[in-house]
Amino acid sequence: MDLTTSNLANVVRIPQREEQYLKATGIDQLLSNLVSQLYIHKPEDAINFMINYLQHTKLERNSVSFSGASSSSSSFSSSFSSSTSSPVGSSSTVTTLQVNGSPQSAGGEDEGNGAVEMEQDKKGNGNHLDQSGEYGREDMQVTSPDGGPVDIDPTLSGNRSLQRRRMAISSEPVDLSGFDADMPGNGVPNTPKSPETLQALEEALRTNVLFAHLEEDERRQVFDAMVEVKFNANDIIIQQGDEGDNFYVVESGECEIWIAKEGQPPQRVSVVREGGSFGELALIYGTQRAATVKAATDVTLWAIDRVTYRRILMGATIKKRKMYEGFLEKVPILAPLNHWERLTVADALEPEVYHDGEVIIRQGERGDSFFIIVDGETKVSQVNEQGEVEVARLYPSSYFGEIALLTDRPRAATVTAIGNVKVVKMDRDRFNRVMGPCEEILRRNMEIYNQYISTKI
Ligand SMILES: Nc1ncnc2c1ncn2[C@@H]1O[C@@H]2COP(=O)(O)O[C@H]2[C@H]1O
C-alpha cells in the first residue's frame, strides 16, 4: 500500500515539476498515509475522517521541526518489500506529541514536564539501544524539556545507519485546545469491534500485564484504537532504522527480532510469542527502530498507533522498567536474558508485600505464580513424616514457585514471610512467555533442589 508519487505519477500522470513539488512539501507521503488510513479503517464518514486526520497531522507537525529532513521522511512501507509495509499508523513525524500539563501527555510519568524521553535523559540513565543492540545513551542529547530544541542523533545499526540524520525536536508545548484526542477519527484509529473481536482482544491481552491495570475508560480507548493485522511467515513487520509508527501485541504466531550491526550479518536476538509485544522503543524514545522484527510463522498482531500508545500505555511501561531494571540486572536466574528481554520481565511483574508469618505459597496447593524476592527474608519448609521441617531460607534476588509451573505439580514446599517481605510475581502465562531463555537453568536448579528438598510431592 505504498502510494508514493512515483507510482501515483504512473496512475494519474503527474508532471515532473508537480511531482517534485509534492515530494518537497511532503504531500506525497501525507497522501499515501491518508489513503492507507482509509483502507485500514474504512470509515463511514470518510470526509470527516480525512479532515480529522489532517488536523491531527497539522498539530503534530507544529510540535516538530526537523533539521535536514523533510516531513515526508516517514514511510509506511518497509524497505524490504512493499507487501510487508507497516499497515497501520500514519504519522509523518517520528517525534512526540507533547501536551504540557494535560492528561493527554504521555502517561503518568511526565505530567507537566515535557516528554518522557527528556525526563529520562535528564537523569542520564535513559534506555535506548546503542550499536551493540544494548542500551546506552552516549549519542542522544536532549536538552531542557521546557527550553530550546532537543537534539537527537539516534544511533543506528545495519544498513540504515548510512541514512542517519540529526533531528531537532522542538520541546515547545503544543496548543491542543480544541483537540479532543478521544474524539473518534482524531488521527487516532477508531475501529468498531464485534463482540467476538472484543473477546479475542481480551484473550490476547490477558497475559500482557500492561493492559491489566487500565481504567475501564482507558481500556475502551485502547481497544477502539487497536487494529488487527496479519503477516505471512518471513514478512518484515518492523525494519531496523525505520521511523516508529505502531506498537504491536502478538495475538498468535511467533516473531523474530533481528539486529544488524554495521559490517556484520544480522543476528537473531529474541523471539516474541503470543501475548508478547514489541515496537515500543521507537515510540518511547523517538528513536528509529532498534531492530528488525520478522514474522517467523504466519502471525496475527494487534497494532496500536503511536499517539494512543504514548497517551495511555507508555507511562506505566516506563515507570515499571525504571523501577525494576536495576534490580533485575542483579537477579542471577535472569542472566541468560538480554537487556530487552529483562525489560519485558519488568513489564510482566506485579509487586506484592507479605507480613511476618504470612504464607506466600503453601505445599500441596496448585501453583500459578512465580516469585522473586525484592526485599526481606522467607522460610521454605516441607511437611514430611517428621512434621514440618525448614529446608531453606531465601533472600533478595532469590526466586521460588517455579517447580509447580515447570512440572505442573502442586507446590513442593511452603514459603513463609519472615518479617516484611516484598516480592514481585508473574503468573503462569507471563512466566512461560518471558522466562523461556531461563528454562534450562531453572530445570537444572530444580534437579539440584532434589538434594535437599523433595520435589515429588
Ligand atoms: N535486543 C533488542 N534490542 C532492541 N529492540 C529489541 C530487542 N529485542 C526486541 N526488541 C524489540 O524490537 C523492536 C523494534 O522496534 P522498536 O525499536 O520500536 O522496539 C524494539 C523492541 O520492541
Side-chain angles (χ1 to χ4, degrees):
M1 214 177 345
D2 184 19
L3 195 66
T4 57
T5 39
S6 39
N7 61 29
L8 190 67
N10 288 338
V11 181
V12 291
R13 288 187 203 289
I14 298 175
Q16 205 181 1
R17 229 183 49 205
E18 278 68 23
E19 189 183 343
Q20 274 168 5
Y21 164 78
L22 292 178
K23 271 215 167 85
T25 53
I27 298 294
D28 60 339
Q29 191 61 52
L30 181 68
L31 287 176
S32 163
N33 292 339
L34 180 57
V35 173
S36 298
Q37 289 297 305
L38 283 170
Y39 282 149
I40 291 162
H41 303 294
K42 300 184 182 63
E44 250 170 48
D45 185 350
I47 294 193
N48 214 12
F49 181 90
M50 287 192 287
I51 291 170
N52 280 329
Y53 177 83
L54 290 171
Q55 273 172 348
H56 179 63
T57 304
K58 185 174 164 219
L59 282 170
E60 279 200 305
R61 285 190 178 181
N62 285 346
S63 74
V64 177
S65 67
F66 286 94
S67 69
S70 85
S71 55
S72 64
S73 57
S74 126
S75 169
F76 246 50
S77 59
S78 108
S79 66
F80 265 60
S81 114
S82 57
S83 67
T84 60
S85 62
S86 298
V88 187
S90 55
S91 72
S92 50
T93 57
V94 255
T95 46
T96 49
L97 174 63
Q98 293 170 37
V99 189
N100 255 16
S102 138
Q104 288 156 356
S105 64
E109 277 288 288
D110 60 336
E111 236 86 89
N113 208 5
V116 167
E117 64 267 36
M118 299 172 191
E119 173 68 9
Q120 291 257 320
D121 201 67
K122 267 200 306 184
K123 298 196 169 105
N125 62 354
N127 307 315
H128 96 125
L129 289 141
D130 65 18
Q131 276 180 315
S132 66
E134 291 296 329
Y135 286 77
R137 203 70 184 187
E138 309 82 60
D139 61 345
M140 187 179 243
Q141 300 153 11
V142 182
T143 56
S144 152
D146 43 26
V150 182
D151 192 17
I152 297 177
D153 183 3
T155 305
L156 299 174
S157 37
N159 48 5
R160 291 303 177 99
S161 62
L162 300 171
Q163 299 166 20
R164 184 196 291 193
R165 64 176 170 267
R166 297 184 80 77
M167 294 179 285
I169 304 168
S170 161
S171 61
E172 286 295 309
V174 185
D175 176 13
L176 284 183
S177 53
F179 173 72
D180 177 4
D182 294 344
M183 219 176 88
N186 231 339
V188 174
N190 189 314
T191 37
K193 312 268 180 325
S194 68
E196 296 75 43
T197 310
L198 283 172
Q199 175 77 30
L201 252 177
E202 287 277 0
E203 187 56 32
L205 303 186
R206 198 172 45 83
T207 69
N208 199 311
V209 88
L210 183 58
F211 301 92
H213 303 296
L214 292 180
E215 299 290 331
E216 193 45 45
D217 181 46
E218 292 173 330
R219 203 176 178 75
R220 183 186 51 75
Q221 289 177 46
V222 172
F223 278 23
D224 281 351
M226 291 177 102
V227 178
E228 189 186 54
V229 287
K230 290 177 188 290
F231 289 88
N232 298 323
N234 296 319
D235 278 353
I236 300 300
I237 302 161
I238 283 179
Q239 170 66 49
Q240 183 174 337
D242 272 0
E243 290 161 0
D245 46 11
N246 301 308
F247 168 73
Y248 296 94
V249 180
V250 180
E251 192 196 334
S252 64
E254 268 182 30
C255 302
E256 292 175 345
I257 314 280
W258 290 77
I259 293 191
K261 298 180 195 171
E262 226 155 348
Q264 288 175 31
Q267 299 260 334
R268 196 181 75 165
V269 295
S270 275
V271 175
V272 184
R273 301 192 169 81
E274 195 176 314
S277 52
F278 56 85
E280 78 289 7
L281 297 177
L283 308 193
I284 294 176
Y285 300 110
T287 50
Q288 288 161 315
R289 295 296 197 184
T292 291
V293 184
K294 184 178 127 183
T297 61
D298 290 353
V299 292
T300 302
L301 309 173
W302 290 103
I304 302 176
D305 67 286
R306 188 171 62 92
V307 174
T308 304
Y309 177 79
R310 290 188 61 89
R311 193 160 52 85
I312 300 177
L313 299 171
M314 181 173 84
T317 300
I318 290 176
K319 191 170 169 190
K320 221 166 189 189
R321 289 183 174 189
K322 210 149 75 176
M323 196 182 304
Y324 295 120
E325 188 184 354
F327 168 69
L328 295 178
E329 300 272 350
K330 296 189 215 104
V331 175
I333 190 61
L334 303 179
L337 304 182
N338 67 34
H339 192 103
W340 184 80
E341 288 170 332
R342 266 200 297 277
L343 293 179
T344 65
V345 170
D347 295 343
L349 296 176
E350 288 179 278
E352 272 183 353
V353 175
Y354 291 87
H355 303 290
D356 191 35
E358 263 189 276
V359 169
I360 306 173
I361 60 174
R362 192 180 297 280
Q363 183 178 350
E365 288 184 352
R366 182 182 152 74
D368 265 323
S369 295
F370 169 76
F371 299 81
I372 303 174
I373 302 176
V374 177
D375 195 25
E377 184 181 346
T378 65
K379 177 179 83 172
V380 185
S381 58
Q382 269 194 321
V383 175
N384 59 23
E385 306 80 53
Q386 287 109 50
E388 184 166 342
V389 183
E390 181 175 325
V391 288
R393 290 266 165 139
L394 299 175
Y395 301 94
S397 297
S398 303
Y399 62 87
F400 58 92
E402 81 292 3
I403 298 176
L405 300 192
L406 291 170
T407 62
D408 223 0
R409 288 201 295 256
R411 295 295 192 195
T414 296
V415 178
T416 310
I418 298 181
N420 286 346
V421 178
K422 276 189 206 161
V423 296
V424 281
K425 69 168 194 176
M426 62 179 104
D427 68 14
R428 183 181 290 268
D429 287 332
R430 287 171 211 149
F431 174 81
N432 289 337
R433 178 157 55 74
V434 300
M435 294 293 286
C438 308
E439 185 172 339
E440 203 184 312
I441 304 184
L442 285 165
R443 286 192 186 277
R444 218 181 307 140
N445 288 350
M446 199 173 81
E447 297 306 316
I448 299 171
Y449 285 172
N450 277 327
Q451 296 164 11
Y452 64 91
I453 184 174
S454 169
T455 57
K456 301 278 179 315
I457 289 170

